[in-house]
Amino acid sequence: MPTITEYLSFKPLDDSPESRKLLREKNRKWYLTAIRNNQVRVVFMKNLPGDTCFTFTGIYCVSYSLSDTTKVVWMRMSQECDLNHLEILDRLRN
């Protein structure tokens, strides 16, 4: 999986303009938090075809160019991770 897309789709409380505005603001805050914190994620996925347990898929960072206030796109930066030296993850940040 070269990218993982996280859609920011919190549901509005109702169809009122106030609810839609609140939804847009929540999505914007979530997006800005991911970008500002320059997050790195170590990703495992379950139930991939042919496998019934968790499978390590890689280390992912936020893609600034592909993300916006409706989605956060995570790009794989590495397919390896040494769990004994997690400080190496800081080198993979954008």
Side-chain angles (χ1 to χ4, degrees):
M1 302 207 115
T3 63
I4 296 173
T5 303
E6 182 179 359
Y7 290 96
L8 306 176
S9 59
F10 300 104
K11 295 189 179 195
L13 299 173
D14 53 37
D15 285 335
S16 71
E18 294 84 19
S19 287
R20 292 185 185 278
K21 182 178 177 183
L22 181 62
L23 173 66
R24 284 192 303 273
E25 187 60 29
K26 278 185 177 181
N27 286 345
R28 184 177 168 276
K29 284 181 181 179
W30 181 254
Y31 164 75
L32 291 175
T33 299
I35 297 295
R36 183 175 35 248
N37 292 340
N38 199 13
Q39 295 178 347
V40 174
R41 291 189 176 178
V42 178
V43 178
F44 294 84
M45 294 187 129
K46 187 174 182 182
N47 296 330
L48 291 174
D51 200 352
T52 58
C53 59
F54 286 95
T55 303
F56 175 73
T57 57
I59 299 171
Y60 291 78
C61 292
V62 175
S63 168
Y64 298 117
S65 61
L66 299 176
S67 298
D68 60 29
T69 57
T70 61
K71 67 184 181 296
V72 176
V73 179
W74 300 88
M75 295 192 68
R76 184 169 47 206
M77 304 312 289
S78 177
Q79 291 181 334
E80 299 176 350
C81 181
D82 182 358
L83 295 176
N84 294 318
H85 299 284
L86 292 179
E87 67 277 1
I88 295 173
L89 293 177
D90 279 336
R91 293 186 209 153
L92 297 174
R93 293 181 187 268
N94 295 332

